[in-house]
Amino acid sequence: MTKTEQLILTLSDIKALYRSDSLPRHWWQGWLCHVLDQPSSFLITHDDHVLTPKQRQLFDEGIAKMRQGVPLAYLTGEQAFFGRIFAVNEHTLIPRPDTERLIEVVLDWAAKSPLDAGYILDLGTGSGCIAITLAKELPSWQVLAVDFSDEALKVANDNAKRLSANHCQFARSDWFENIEGAFDVIVSNPPYIAQDDEHLATLVAEPITALVAKDDGLYDIEIIASQAQRFLNKDGLLAVEHGYDQGMSVRQIFDKYGYDDIKTIQDYGGNDRLTVGVRGVSR
Ligand SMILES: C[S@@+](CC[C@H](N)C(=O)[O-])C[C@H]1O[C@@H](n2cnc3c(N)ncnc32)[C@H](O)[C@@H]1O
């Protein structure tokens, strides 16, 4: 018998039961708000509220899935990113707050560049969170976003329609395979977790092809860095997210392929999170 199948009637009872539960508090509370279709303040202001039998059943089913490792975002089907809500499913990575740093860096670069408008390529778009956010924040720019997963591209397309990101196009491509044209910015949050990384055990629900890369997690970053120069305009920017311990390796990769002004930038936790470089003169 699950916790709420016992004689639980009010939100106050549920809060008391889950207070010291091993599930992260924001998971069960977020799920409860979703089931109730109420904001989080409702849990504070409505202690005496009683769940309907259907809500109790839904709540319990979600809690059981969470205990098997299904993240809250896959249960609710959505995740906030840079102030917008993105639909997600089991075919897409759940957008991470760390990736918002990548957005800030590109926006900062665009603000300082002499360009009034430009062309951005997002490699491995997943839910479309990077491409759509950049398209919304830079309304005079065009964005092309690719992924090799048709299922992910469907989610990204739906997100673009719902968020009215009209100047954001999507295409299926294995990295640069189907890409034509020249870009002012190439951005990517590629798979970068090493195959033997211990953190993988906690990421059981997300698509493994979105997360893991060979060569200690650097395989896809090297492919992207080696080919991006050919698709960048003069002074164009390559910005790639990576693991907290990969900064030096990624700088070496960028250097090997002739980028200029290479630097690694930290996230708000102080960890190395992305490396940028601009197209070198020789490519
Ligand atoms: C770490 S996820 C990032 C998703 C999204 N951009 C984000 O930041 O949440 C990496 C994405 O790259 C895609 N991907 C992996 N290998 C690829 C390849 N060879 N060509 C194109 N996309 C690829 C995956 O399907 C996945 O959507």
Side-chain angles (χ1 to χ4, degrees):
M1 190 184 293
T2 62
K3 286 178 176 179
T4 51
E5 278 168 342
Q6 300 161 38
L7 282 178
I8 296 164
L9 297 175
T10 66
L11 290 184
S12 173
D13 294 329
I14 293 178
K15 285 194 282 185
L17 264 173
Y18 283 89
R19 190 162 292 136
S20 51
D21 197 279
S22 60
L23 281 176
R25 193 172 58 154
H26 76 277
W27 278 27
W28 67 259
Q29 289 198 349
W31 179 233
L32 187 52
C33 290
H34 182 83
V35 167
L36 293 167
D37 195 19
Q38 295 289 349
S40 55
S41 57
F42 189 83
L43 301 187
I44 299 165
T45 53
H46 288 73
D47 260 351
D48 294 333
H49 182 82
V50 177
L51 272 72
T52 66
K54 204 171 158 196
Q55 287 172 332
R56 285 171 59 183
Q57 187 188 346
L58 191 60
F59 180 69
D60 276 346
E61 285 169 0
I63 293 287
K65 286 185 185 156
M66 283 184 191
R67 292 204 194 287
Q68 290 162 11
V70 178
L72 173 64
Y74 284 158
L75 291 179
T76 60
E78 60 186 34
Q79 177 68 35
F81 182 80
F82 215 82
R84 297 182 183 85
I85 299 293
F86 286 81
V88 293
N89 66 22
E90 70 278 14
H91 301 293
T92 67
L93 189 85
I94 299 166
R96 304 289 204 272
D98 289 340
T99 305
E100 295 183 339
R101 194 75 187 104
L102 194 61
I103 301 287
E104 288 172 345
V105 167
V106 173
L107 292 181
D108 190 47
W109 182 89
K112 289 178 183 150
S113 102
L115 300 169
D116 294 327
Y119 197 14
I120 298 175
L121 173 64
D122 172 29
L123 294 166
T125 199
S127 64
C129 60
I130 295 173
I132 293 168
T133 302
L134 291 174
K136 298 293 291 183
E137 298 292 324
L138 296 169
S140 59
W141 290 53
Q142 296 291 321
V143 182
L144 173 65
V146 302
D147 206 290
F148 70 174
S149 159
D150 287 327
E151 293 93 344
L153 285 169
K154 177 168 183 342
V155 176
N157 253 306
D158 290 348
N159 277 325
K161 280 194 194 107
R162 195 175 37 78
L163 292 166
S164 306
N166 303 325
H167 47 286
C168 185
Q169 307 295 318
F170 297 91
R172 188 182 192 288
S173 181
D174 182 346
W175 298 139
F176 291 94
E177 193 176 40
N178 301 327
I179 305 291
E180 284 174 8
F183 300 86
D184 302 293
V185 177
I186 297 179
V187 66
S188 185
N189 174 17
Y192 56 72
I193 300 180
Q195 286 157 314
D196 58 356
D197 191 305
E198 59 190 21
H199 297 101
L200 274 180
T202 61
L203 300 169
V204 289
E206 294 183 276
I208 201 83
T209 50
L211 294 165
V212 174
K214 293 183 279 188
D215 297 347
D216 288 334
L218 296 168
Y219 180 81
D220 292 293
I221 291 176
E222 177 139 14
I223 290 182
I224 289 168
S226 69
Q227 298 183 29
Q229 291 251 26
R230 280 198 297 125
F231 295 89
L232 277 172
N233 284 326
K234 184 172 175 306
D235 297 327
L237 180 80
L238 174 65
V240 176
E241 181 172 324
H242 52 70
Y244 71 95
D245 54 354
Q246 293 173 327
M248 187 191 286
S249 304
V250 177
R251 286 195 300 280
Q252 284 168 351
I253 290 172
F254 275 39
D255 189 50
K256 177 173 158 187
Y257 293 104
Y259 291 85
D260 291 335
D261 300 337
I262 301 165
K263 58 176 184 273
T264 295
I265 296 163
Q266 285 74 43
D267 59 27
Y268 287 109
N271 295 310
D272 283 357
R273 185 54 58 203
L274 66 138
T275 292
V276 297
V278 298
R279 199 195 94 180
V281 271
S282 58
R283 57 168 175 158

